[in-house]
Amino acid sequence: DAMVIQNPRYQVTQFGKPVTLSCSQTLNHNVMYWYQQKSSQAPKLLFHYYDKDFNNEADTPDNFQSRRPNTSFCFLDIRSPGLGDAAMYLCATGTGAKNIQYFGAGTRLSVL
Amino acid sequence: QKEVEQNSGPLSVPEGAIASLNCTYSDRGSQSFFWYRQYSGKSPELIMSIYSNGDKEDGRFTAQLNKASQYVSLLIRDSQPSDSATYLCAVMGEYQLIWGAGTKLIIKP
C-alpha cells in the first residue's frame, strides 16, 4: 500500500545531543510537511517543501533544520534538543490538489 | 492572525446517539475545510473534506459548511465507542492548513 512512513516511532535523546527523524513516502507526492505537536495542542507547521522549494515557517527555531534529498525522503534534524522539544513530530505529504494532507504515524521524541 | 476555534471538550455522548462537533474560522477567503480524527498517541487521520456550502455525507459522518457564518461542523450518527478520539478541524489558509486545537469526544457505552 502507498503510504507515509516515519522512523523511528519513538526516539529518546539526551539534552543537546543531535537527532535526526526520517520520513519516506511511496505516494509520489510533491509536497512534504513537518509538524510538531505537543499534548492537547494543534499541530504546528515547522517546514514544508514544494518539490525542492524549501519553506521555513517564521517562528520555527533555528535549532530545527530539514533536508529533502529526493521526492521520497525528507529528514528533520534537531541540532541541540532542549526539554521543550519533546513532542510528537508528524510528517505529511500532499499533492496540492484539494489541499489534502496524508500523515505518517509520527515520531514521539523524548529529551532526557 | 488567522484562527480556527473549537470547543476543547470533552464532549460526552451516549452510544448510538448523534455527536455534533463545531468549528469556526476567521479567514473569510478559505475554500477548503477538513476534519481529522486523532486517537491518543497516534497521528491525525482524515475523516472528511468539504469545499462548498451545504452538507457532505460519508457513511455515519456528515460535514456541514456555512461560509457566510464561517463555521464548519461534523455530525457522527450512531456513535460507537471506537469514535472516542480528538477531532481536529483544519482550514486551508493562504498556503498552509490552519488547525484548531481539537475537541475531545467520549462515547459512553
Side-chain angles (χ1 to χ4, degrees):
Chain A
D1 287 342
M3 50 199 312
V4 182
I5 301 168
Q6 291 189 244
N7 283 301
R9 292 292 315 279
Y10 302 92
Q11 176 73 58
V12 181
T13 190
Q14 292 180 333
F15 183 96
K17 185 173 182 182
V19 66
T20 294
L21 310 181
S22 73
C23 178
S24 64
Q25 55 131 338
T26 59
L27 298 163
N28 204 32
H29 287 168
N30 55 351
V31 191
M32 293 187 78
Y33 307 84
W34 278 107
Y35 288 91
Q36 178 193 64
Q37 188 180 26
K38 297 186 177 180
S39 181
S40 300
Q41 295 184 18
K44 177 182 181 298
L45 184 64
L46 299 173
F47 312 99
H48 77 277
Y49 286 88
Y50 196 101
D51 293 320
K52 286 187 178 285
D53 291 337
F54 174 70
N55 296 273
N56 185 18
E57 293 306 299
D59 57 353
T60 298
D62 293 340
N63 197 25
F64 290 79
Q65 296 180 335
S66 182
R67 297 169 281 136
R68 188 180 186 185
N70 54 51
T71 300
S72 300
F73 286 88
C74 196
F75 300 96
L76 174 62
D77 301 308
I78 308 176
R79 287 190 297 181
S80 182
L83 297 178
D85 296 328
M88 174 78 90
Y89 289 87
L90 299 165
C91 174
T93 71
T95 63
K98 296 190 175 284
N99 300 310
I100 292 175
Q101 296 185 16
Y102 301 87
F103 284 85
T107 295
R108 171 75 63 186
L109 177 68
S110 298
V111 181
L112 304 179
Chain B
Q1 181 85 4
K2 296 173 183 175
E3 295 181 337
V4 174
E5 300 285 343
Q6 295 181 255
N7 189 320
S8 62
L11 174 66
S12 185
V13 173
E15 183 176 358
I18 296 174
S20 178
L21 303 163
N22 299 308
C23 170
T24 59
Y25 60 94
S26 62
D27 184 1
R28 189 170 285 279
S30 296
Q31 299 295 323
S32 305
F33 307 85
F34 307 91
W35 283 99
Y36 283 81
R37 178 176 64 198
Q38 188 172 29
Y39 293 113
S40 181
K42 305 295 185 182
S43 62
E45 173 192 9
L46 181 67
I47 297 297
M48 293 286 284
S49 59
I50 188 166
Y51 303 96
S52 55
N53 277 330
D55 295 359
K56 178 182 177 183
E57 186 175 321
D58 183 1
R60 295 187 296 112
F61 298 95
T62 299
Q64 299 175 318
L65 175 61
N66 184 322
K67 290 184 180 179
S69 300
Q70 295 176 244
Y71 83 78
V72 57
S73 61
L74 179 70
L75 301 178
I76 307 174
R77 289 182 300 280
D78 187 23
S79 297
Q80 303 296 311
S82 59
D83 295 326
S84 297
T86 296
Y87 289 80
L88 297 165
C89 175
V91 175
M92 191 65 192
E94 189 174 338
Y95 66 92
Q96 63 166 294
L97 284 179
I98 311 298
W99 295 82
T103 297
K104 184 172 184 177
L105 175 65
I106 298 172
I107 306 300
K108 291 190 169 182

mmCIF file of all heavy atoms in Angstrom, chain A residues 9 35 37 40-43 45 48 57 88 90 98-101 103-106 108, chain B residues 32 34 36 38 41-46 49 51 88 92 95-97 99-102:
data_model
loop_
_atom_site.group_PDB
_atom_site.id
_atom_site.type_symbol
_atom_site.label_atom_id
_atom_site.label_comp_id
_atom_site.label_asym_id
_atom_site.label_seq_id
_atom_site.Cartn_x
_atom_site.Cartn_y
_atom_site.Cartn_z
ATOM 1 N N ARG A 9 9.675 5.276 15.403
ATOM 2 C CA ARG A 9 8.400 5.637 16.011
ATOM 3 C C ARG A 9 8.607 6.330 17.355
ATOM 4 O O ARG A 9 7.844 7.214 17.734
ATOM 5 C CB ARG A 9 7.534 4.383 16.203
ATOM 6 C CG ARG A 9 7.038 3.755 14.902
ATOM 7 C CD ARG A 9 6.036 4.651 14.192
ATOM 8 N NE ARG A 9 5.037 5.202 15.085
ATOM 9 C CZ ARG A 9 3.964 4.543 15.487
ATOM 10 N NH1 ARG A 9 3.739 3.312 15.064
ATOM 11 N NH2 ARG A 9 3.095 5.120 16.300
ATOM 12 N N TYR A 35 5.499 18.697 10.990
ATOM 13 C CA TYR A 35 4.761 19.345 12.056
ATOM 14 C C TYR A 35 5.324 18.907 13.408
ATOM 15 O O TYR A 35 5.802 17.780 13.572
ATOM 16 C CB TYR A 35 3.284 18.930 12.046
ATOM 17 C CG TYR A 35 2.438 19.477 10.928
ATOM 18 C CD1 TYR A 35 2.286 18.786 9.734
ATOM 19 C CD2 TYR A 35 1.737 20.672 11.092
ATOM 20 C CE1 TYR A 35 1.465 19.276 8.723
ATOM 21 C CE2 TYR A 35 0.916 21.166 10.089
ATOM 22 C CZ TYR A 35 0.782 20.454 8.914
ATOM 23 O OH TYR A 35 -0.028 20.937 7.921
ATOM 24 N N GLN A 37 3.781 18.478 17.292
ATOM 25 C CA GLN A 37 2.533 18.511 18.067
ATOM 26 C C GLN A 37 2.808 18.144 19.514
ATOM 27 O O GLN A 37 3.311 17.054 19.803
ATOM 28 C CB GLN A 37 1.479 17.579 17.475
ATOM 29 C CG GLN A 37 0.115 17.741 18.146
ATOM 30 C CD GLN A 37 -0.939 16.819 17.578
ATOM 31 O OE1 GLN A 37 -0.643 15.766 17.046
ATOM 32 N NE2 GLN A 37 -2.202 17.235 17.667
ATOM 33 N N SER A 40 -2.366 17.888 23.646
ATOM 34 C CA SER A 40 -3.588 18.706 23.667
ATOM 35 C C SER A 40 -3.456 20.009 22.873
ATOM 36 O O SER A 40 -4.210 20.955 23.109
ATOM 37 C CB SER A 40 -3.997 19.032 25.117
ATOM 38 O OG SER A 40 -4.230 17.853 25.831
ATOM 39 N N GLN A 41 -2.498 20.044 21.942
ATOM 40 C CA GLN A 41 -2.333 21.229 21.104
ATOM 41 C C GLN A 41 -2.525 20.869 19.637
ATOM 42 O O GLN A 41 -2.426 19.709 19.248
ATOM 43 C CB GLN A 41 -0.955 21.856 21.301
ATOM 44 C CG GLN A 41 -0.735 22.399 22.706
ATOM 45 C CD GLN A 41 0.613 23.094 22.839
ATOM 46 O OE1 GLN A 41 1.251 23.466 21.850
ATOM 47 N NE2 GLN A 41 1.051 23.274 24.080
ATOM 48 N N ALA A 42 -2.773 21.885 18.825
ATOM 49 C CA ALA A 42 -2.857 21.689 17.393
ATOM 50 C C ALA A 42 -1.482 21.397 16.820
ATOM 51 O O ALA A 42 -0.460 21.832 17.373
ATOM 52 C CB ALA A 42 -3.434 22.954 16.744
ATOM 53 N N PRO A 43 -1.407 20.667 15.720
ATOM 54 C CA PRO A 43 -0.117 20.512 15.035
ATOM 55 C C PRO A 43 0.418 21.888 14.620
ATOM 56 O O PRO A 43 -0.342 22.744 14.162
ATOM 57 C CB PRO A 43 -0.464 19.666 13.810
ATOM 58 C CG PRO A 43 -1.737 18.970 14.169
ATOM 59 C CD PRO A 43 -2.477 19.914 15.044
ATOM 60 N N LEU A 45 3.086 23.767 12.146
ATOM 61 C CA LEU A 45 3.904 23.564 10.956
ATOM 62 C C LEU A 45 5.299 24.125 11.188
ATOM 63 O O LEU A 45 5.461 25.280 11.600
ATOM 64 C CB LEU A 45 3.255 24.240 9.751
ATOM 65 C CG LEU A 45 3.942 24.037 8.410
ATOM 66 C CD1 LEU A 45 3.929 22.561 8.001
ATOM 67 C CD2 LEU A 45 3.279 24.894 7.326
ATOM 68 N N HIS A 48 7.823 23.174 5.101
ATOM 69 C CA HIS A 48 7.262 22.365 4.033
ATOM 70 C C HIS A 48 8.092 22.536 2.766
ATOM 71 O O HIS A 48 8.769 23.558 2.571
ATOM 72 C CB HIS A 48 5.779 22.641 3.813
ATOM 73 C CG HIS A 48 5.470 23.905 3.074
ATOM 74 N ND1 HIS A 48 5.418 25.138 3.670
ATOM 75 C CD2 HIS A 48 5.163 24.111 1.770
ATOM 76 C CE1 HIS A 48 5.087 26.047 2.790
ATOM 77 N NE2 HIS A 48 4.930 25.460 1.621
ATOM 78 N N GLU A 57 8.843 28.088 8.281
ATOM 79 C CA GLU A 57 7.919 28.979 8.983
ATOM 80 C C GLU A 57 8.717 29.997 9.801
ATOM 81 O O GLU A 57 9.785 29.685 10.331
ATOM 82 C CB GLU A 57 7.003 28.173 9.905
ATOM 83 C CG GLU A 57 6.038 27.267 9.161
ATOM 84 C CD GLU A 57 5.226 28.016 8.147
ATOM 85 O OE1 GLU A 57 4.477 28.927 8.532
ATOM 86 O OE2 GLU A 57 5.347 27.698 6.941
ATOM 87 N N MET A 88 5.486 15.095 19.682
ATOM 88 C CA MET A 88 5.267 14.203 18.545
ATOM 89 C C MET A 88 5.619 14.998 17.287
ATOM 90 O O MET A 88 5.186 16.146 17.123
ATOM 91 C CB MET A 88 3.796 13.770 18.491
ATOM 92 C CG MET A 88 3.439 12.960 17.259
ATOM 93 S SD MET A 88 3.964 11.257 17.367
ATOM 94 C CE MET A 88 2.493 10.553 18.126
ATOM 95 N N LEU A 90 5.330 15.002 13.264
ATOM 96 C CA LEU A 90 4.475 14.427 12.229
ATOM 97 C C LEU A 90 4.973 14.841 10.851
ATOM 98 O O LEU A 90 5.228 16.018 10.604
ATOM 99 C CB LEU A 90 3.033 14.908 12.397
ATOM 100 C CG LEU A 90 2.355 14.531 13.718
ATOM 101 C CD1 LEU A 90 1.094 15.371 13.923
ATOM 102 C CD2 LEU A 90 2.009 13.052 13.738
ATOM 103 N N LYS A 98 -6.755 19.897 -3.959
ATOM 104 C CA LYS A 98 -7.748 19.837 -2.882
ATOM 105 C C LYS A 98 -7.134 19.981 -1.497
ATOM 106 O O LYS A 98 -7.804 19.811 -0.497
ATOM 107 C CB LYS A 98 -8.590 18.564 -2.968
ATOM 108 C CG LYS A 98 -9.435 18.498 -4.237
ATOM 109 C CD LYS A 98 -10.419 17.367 -4.177
ATOM 110 C CE LYS A 98 -11.339 17.370 -5.376
ATOM 111 N NZ LYS A 98 -12.382 18.390 -5.311
ATOM 112 N N ASN A 99 -5.843 20.253 -1.428
ATOM 113 C CA ASN A 99 -5.157 20.576 -0.173
ATOM 114 C C ASN A 99 -5.196 19.468 0.863
ATOM 115 O O ASN A 99 -5.031 19.722 2.051
ATOM 116 C CB ASN A 99 -5.735 21.864 0.420
ATOM 117 C CG ASN A 99 -5.574 23.033 -0.527
ATOM 118 O OD1 ASN A 99 -4.489 23.285 -1.036
ATOM 119 N ND2 ASN A 99 -6.646 23.744 -0.792
ATOM 120 N N ILE A 100 -5.413 18.226 0.459
ATOM 121 C CA ILE A 100 -5.477 17.123 1.407
ATOM 122 C C ILE A 100 -4.064 16.717 1.803
ATOM 123 O O ILE A 100 -3.173 16.616 0.966
ATOM 124 C CB ILE A 100 -6.234 15.930 0.810
ATOM 125 C CG1 ILE A 100 -7.712 16.311 0.637
ATOM 126 C CG2 ILE A 100 -6.102 14.703 1.693
ATOM 127 C CD1 ILE A 100 -8.533 15.251 -0.065
ATOM 128 N N GLN A 101 -3.858 16.489 3.088
ATOM 129 C CA GLN A 101 -2.569 16.035 3.602
ATOM 130 C C GLN A 101 -2.724 14.652 4.208
ATOM 131 O O GLN A 101 -3.696 14.361 4.889
ATOM 132 C CB GLN A 101 -2.041 17.022 4.649
ATOM 133 C CG GLN A 101 -1.756 18.402 4.070
ATOM 134 C CD GLN A 101 -1.119 19.347 5.067
ATOM 135 O OE1 GLN A 101 -0.613 18.932 6.106
ATOM 136 N NE2 GLN A 101 -1.138 20.623 4.749
ATOM 137 N N PHE A 103 -0.877 11.805 6.612
ATOM 138 C CA PHE A 103 0.112 11.771 7.694
ATOM 139 C C PHE A 103 0.748 10.403 7.878
ATOM 140 O O PHE A 103 0.100 9.362 7.715
ATOM 141 C CB PHE A 103 -0.561 12.173 9.017
ATOM 142 C CG PHE A 103 -0.812 13.653 9.124
ATOM 143 C CD1 PHE A 103 -1.946 14.222 8.585
ATOM 144 C CD2 PHE A 103 0.104 14.466 9.768
ATOM 145 C CE1 PHE A 103 -2.177 15.593 8.679
ATOM 146 C CE2 PHE A 103 -0.108 15.830 9.873
ATOM 147 C CZ PHE A 103 -1.246 16.389 9.317
ATOM 148 N N GLY A 104 2.029 10.434 8.251
ATOM 149 C CA GLY A 104 2.668 9.238 8.767
ATOM 150 C C GLY A 104 2.241 9.005 10.201
ATOM 151 O O GLY A 104 1.469 9.784 10.779
ATOM 152 N N ALA A 105 2.761 7.931 10.798
ATOM 153 C CA ALA A 105 2.365 7.547 12.154
ATOM 154 C C ALA A 105 2.982 8.439 13.224
ATOM 155 O O ALA A 105 2.542 8.407 14.376
ATOM 156 C CB ALA A 105 2.735 6.102 12.410
ATOM 157 N N GLY A 106 3.985 9.221 12.856
ATOM 158 C CA GLY A 106 4.603 10.133 13.810
ATOM 159 C C GLY A 106 5.799 9.525 14.523
ATOM 160 O O GLY A 106 5.957 8.303 14.603
ATOM 161 N N ARG A 108 7.571 9.964 18.290
ATOM 162 C CA ARG A 108 7.486 10.560 19.625
ATOM 163 C C ARG A 108 8.898 10.775 20.129
ATOM 164 O O ARG A 108 9.644 9.822 20.298
ATOM 165 C CB ARG A 108 6.719 9.624 20.556
ATOM 166 C CG ARG A 108 6.760 10.027 22.017
ATOM 167 C CD ARG A 108 5.878 11.195 22.322
ATOM 168 N NE ARG A 108 4.464 10.934 22.078
ATOM 169 C CZ ARG A 108 3.517 11.861 22.173
ATOM 170 N NH1 ARG A 108 3.826 13.102 22.503
ATOM 171 N NH2 ARG A 108 2.262 11.547 21.948
ATOM 172 N N SER B 32 -11.135 25.486 1.596
ATOM 173 C CA SER B 32 -11.007 24.048 1.840
ATOM 174 C C SER B 32 -11.048 23.789 3.341
ATOM 175 O O SER B 32 -10.366 24.466 4.106
ATOM 176 C CB SER B 32 -9.676 23.512 1.285
ATOM 177 O OG SER B 32 -9.541 23.820 -0.084
ATOM 178 N N PHE B 34 -11.445 20.677 6.556
ATOM 179 C CA PHE B 34 -11.159 19.274 6.823
ATOM 180 C C PHE B 34 -11.464 18.929 8.274
ATOM 181 O O PHE B 34 -11.304 19.747 9.175
ATOM 182 C CB PHE B 34 -9.671 18.974 6.557
ATOM 183 C CG PHE B 34 -9.215 19.402 5.194
ATOM 184 C CD1 PHE B 34 -8.679 20.662 4.982
ATOM 185 C CD2 PHE B 34 -9.335 18.549 4.113
ATOM 186 C CE1 PHE B 34 -8.277 21.077 3.724
ATOM 187 C CE2 PHE B 34 -8.932 18.945 2.846
ATOM 188 C CZ PHE B 34 -8.402 20.207 2.653
ATOM 189 N N TYR B 36 -10.161 15.930 10.868
ATOM 190 C CA TYR B 36 -9.255 14.828 11.126
ATOM 191 C C TYR B 36 -9.603 14.227 12.481
ATOM 192 O O TYR B 36 -9.937 14.946 13.424
ATOM 193 C CB TYR B 36 -7.796 15.300 11.163
ATOM 194 C CG TYR B 36 -7.167 15.566 9.813
ATOM 195 C CD1 TYR B 36 -7.385 16.758 9.137
ATOM 196 C CD2 TYR B 36 -6.338 14.617 9.216
ATOM 197 C CE1 TYR B 36 -6.798 17.004 7.899
ATOM 198 C CE2 TYR B 36 -5.733 14.858 7.984
ATOM 199 C CZ TYR B 36 -5.976 16.047 7.341
ATOM 200 O OH TYR B 36 -5.389 16.283 6.114
ATOM 201 N N GLN B 38 -8.015 11.997 15.644
ATOM 202 C CA GLN B 38 -6.728 11.646 16.227
ATOM 203 C C GLN B 38 -6.949 10.876 17.517
ATOM 204 O O GLN B 38 -7.459 11.418 18.503
ATOM 205 C CB GLN B 38 -5.879 12.906 16.479
ATOM 206 C CG GLN B 38 -4.449 12.590 16.915
ATOM 207 C CD GLN B 38 -3.553 13.815 16.977
ATOM 208 O OE1 GLN B 38 -4.001 14.927 17.214
ATOM 209 N NE2 GLN B 38 -2.262 13.610 16.763
ATOM 210 N N GLY B 41 -2.012 9.478 21.193
ATOM 211 C CA GLY B 41 -0.700 8.950 20.851
ATOM 212 C C GLY B 41 -0.523 8.585 19.391
ATOM 213 O O GLY B 41 0.537 8.072 19.005
ATOM 214 N N LYS B 42 -1.544 8.830 18.575
ATOM 215 C CA LYS B 42 -1.479 8.500 17.147
ATOM 216 C C LYS B 42 -1.466 9.771 16.313
ATOM 217 O O LYS B 42 -1.616 10.878 16.822
ATOM 218 C CB LYS B 42 -2.685 7.635 16.751
ATOM 219 C CG LYS B 42 -2.845 6.372 17.575
ATOM 220 C CD LYS B 42 -1.710 5.410 17.375
ATOM 221 C CE LYS B 42 -1.959 4.104 18.119
ATOM 222 N NZ LYS B 42 -0.810 3.166 17.972
ATOM 223 N N SER B 43 -1.309 9.604 15.006
ATOM 224 C CA SER B 43 -1.292 10.755 14.111
ATOM 225 C C SER B 43 -2.699 11.059 13.600
ATOM 226 O O SER B 43 -3.591 10.207 13.662
ATOM 227 C CB SER B 43 -0.348 10.491 12.931
ATOM 228 O OG SER B 43 -0.807 9.396 12.180
ATOM 229 N N PRO B 44 -2.922 12.266 13.090
ATOM 230 C CA PRO B 44 -4.251 12.614 12.564
ATOM 231 C C PRO B 44 -4.602 11.781 11.326
ATOM 232 O O PRO B 44 -3.750 11.497 10.487
ATOM 233 C CB PRO B 44 -4.107 14.098 12.203
ATOM 234 C CG PRO B 44 -2.962 14.596 13.017
ATOM 235 C CD PRO B 44 -2.025 13.427 13.112
ATOM 236 N N GLU B 45 -5.879 11.446 11.220
ATOM 237 C CA GLU B 45 -6.407 10.659 10.111
ATOM 238 C C GLU B 45 -7.557 11.445 9.489
ATOM 239 O O GLU B 45 -8.493 11.852 10.189
ATOM 240 C CB GLU B 45 -6.904 9.317 10.651
ATOM 241 C CG GLU B 45 -7.633 8.456 9.650
ATOM 242 C CD GLU B 45 -8.345 7.301 10.329
ATOM 243 O OE1 GLU B 45 -8.412 7.255 11.568
ATOM 244 O OE2 GLU B 45 -8.861 6.435 9.612
ATOM 245 N N LEU B 46 -7.497 11.666 8.184
ATOM 246 C CA LEU B 46 -8.544 12.434 7.508
ATOM 247 C C LEU B 46 -9.880 11.691 7.554
ATOM 248 O O LEU B 46 -9.972 10.528 7.166
ATOM 249 C CB LEU B 46 -8.150 12.700 6.055
ATOM 250 C CG LEU B 46 -9.140 13.523 5.247
ATOM 251 C CD1 LEU B 46 -9.208 14.957 5.779
ATOM 252 C CD2 LEU B 46 -8.754 13.529 3.766
ATOM 253 N N SER B 49 -13.486 15.898 4.022
ATOM 254 C CA SER B 49 -13.111 17.168 3.418
ATOM 255 C C SER B 49 -14.362 17.782 2.821
ATOM 256 O O SER B 49 -15.256 17.061 2.353
ATOM 257 C CB SER B 49 -12.047 16.974 2.338
ATOM 258 O OG SER B 49 -12.528 16.099 1.328
ATOM 259 N N TYR B 51 -15.730 21.447 0.516
ATOM 260 C CA TYR B 51 -15.240 22.611 -0.208
ATOM 261 C C TYR B 51 -16.343 23.608 -0.570
ATOM 262 O O TYR B 51 -16.062 24.734 -0.952
ATOM 263 C CB TYR B 51 -14.533 22.164 -1.495
ATOM 264 C CG TYR B 51 -13.403 21.196 -1.235
ATOM 265 C CD1 TYR B 51 -13.610 19.822 -1.334
ATOM 266 C CD2 TYR B 51 -12.139 21.642 -0.880
ATOM 267 C CE1 TYR B 51 -12.590 18.926 -1.081
ATOM 268 C CE2 TYR B 51 -11.102 20.752 -0.626
ATOM 269 C CZ TYR B 51 -11.343 19.398 -0.730
ATOM 270 O OH TYR B 51 -10.328 18.505 -0.483
ATOM 271 N N LEU B 88 -9.968 17.088 15.079
ATOM 272 C CA LEU B 88 -9.295 18.332 14.714
ATOM 273 C C LEU B 88 -9.946 18.926 13.473
ATOM 274 O O LEU B 88 -10.116 18.236 12.458
ATOM 275 C CB LEU B 88 -7.820 18.067 14.419
ATOM 276 C CG LEU B 88 -6.968 17.540 15.578
ATOM 277 C CD1 LEU B 88 -5.654 16.982 15.056
ATOM 278 C CD2 LEU B 88 -6.695 18.634 16.582
ATOM 279 N N MET B 92 -7.860 25.534 5.165
ATOM 280 C CA MET B 92 -6.730 25.910 4.320
ATOM 281 C C MET B 92 -6.594 27.419 4.294
ATOM 282 O O MET B 92 -7.536 28.136 3.904
ATOM 283 C CB MET B 92 -6.914 25.372 2.910
ATOM 284 C CG MET B 92 -5.661 25.495 2.066
ATOM 285 S SD MET B 92 -4.347 24.462 2.760
ATOM 286 C CE MET B 92 -2.940 25.070 1.831
ATOM 287 N N TYR B 95 -1.405 29.260 2.259
ATOM 288 C CA TYR B 95 -0.553 28.188 1.749
ATOM 289 C C TYR B 95 -0.390 27.039 2.734
ATOM 290 O O TYR B 95 0.326 26.092 2.468
ATOM 291 C CB TYR B 95 0.835 28.723 1.381
ATOM 292 C CG TYR B 95 1.648 29.205 2.555
ATOM 293 C CD1 TYR B 95 2.511 28.358 3.220
ATOM 294 C CD2 TYR B 95 1.537 30.505 3.004
ATOM 295 C CE1 TYR B 95 3.255 28.785 4.308
ATOM 296 C CE2 TYR B 95 2.273 30.951 4.095
ATOM 297 C CZ TYR B 95 3.132 30.083 4.737
ATOM 298 O OH TYR B 95 3.852 30.516 5.805
ATOM 299 N N GLN B 96 -1.041 27.136 3.881
ATOM 300 C CA GLN B 96 -0.905 26.064 4.851
ATOM 301 C C GLN B 96 -2.227 25.854 5.573
ATOM 302 O O GLN B 96 -3.094 26.733 5.590
ATOM 303 C CB GLN B 96 0.180 26.391 5.874
ATOM 304 C CG GLN B 96 -0.122 27.618 6.723
ATOM 305 C CD GLN B 96 0.796 27.705 7.922
ATOM 306 O OE1 GLN B 96 0.743 26.863 8.805
ATOM 307 N NE2 GLN B 96 1.631 28.723 7.961
ATOM 308 N N LEU B 97 -2.363 24.665 6.152
ATOM 309 C CA LEU B 97 -3.542 24.387 6.968
ATOM 310 C C LEU B 97 -3.454 25.145 8.285
ATOM 311 O O LEU B 97 -2.400 25.168 8.924
ATOM 312 C CB LEU B 97 -3.657 22.892 7.245
ATOM 313 C CG LEU B 97 -4.154 21.992 6.118
ATOM 314 C CD1 LEU B 97 -4.172 20.544 6.580
ATOM 315 C CD2 LEU B 97 -5.533 22.414 5.663
ATOM 316 N N TRP B 99 -4.950 24.952 11.958
ATOM 317 C CA TRP B 99 -5.556 23.882 12.750
ATOM 318 C C TRP B 99 -6.230 24.436 14.002
ATOM 319 O O TRP B 99 -5.710 25.347 14.654
ATOM 320 C CB TRP B 99 -4.481 22.892 13.195
ATOM 321 C CG TRP B 99 -3.831 22.137 12.093
ATOM 322 C CD1 TRP B 99 -2.809 22.552 11.297
ATOM 323 C CD2 TRP B 99 -4.161 20.812 11.663
ATOM 324 N NE1 TRP B 99 -2.489 21.571 10.400
ATOM 325 C CE2 TRP B 99 -3.294 20.489 10.603
ATOM 326 C CE3 TRP B 99 -5.103 19.860 12.076
ATOM 327 C CZ2 TRP B 99 -3.333 19.259 9.942
ATOM 328 C CZ3 TRP B 99 -5.144 18.640 11.426
ATOM 329 C CH2 TRP B 99 -4.274 18.350 10.376
ATOM 330 N N GLY B 100 -7.366 23.840 14.339
ATOM 331 C CA GLY B 100 -7.913 24.030 15.663
ATOM 332 C C GLY B 100 -7.207 23.097 16.636
ATOM 333 O O GLY B 100 -6.503 22.166 16.222
ATOM 334 N N ALA B 101 -7.392 23.342 17.927
ATOM 335 C CA ALA B 101 -6.731 22.523 18.948
ATOM 336 C C ALA B 101 -7.463 21.205 19.204
ATOM 337 O O ALA B 101 -6.942 20.350 19.925
ATOM 338 C CB ALA B 101 -6.584 23.308 20.240
ATOM 339 N N GLY B 102 -8.649 21.062 18.615
ATOM 340 C CA GLY B 102 -9.350 19.792 18.712
ATOM 341 C C GLY B 102 -10.408 19.743 19.795
ATOM 342 O O GLY B 102 -10.328 20.455 20.805
#
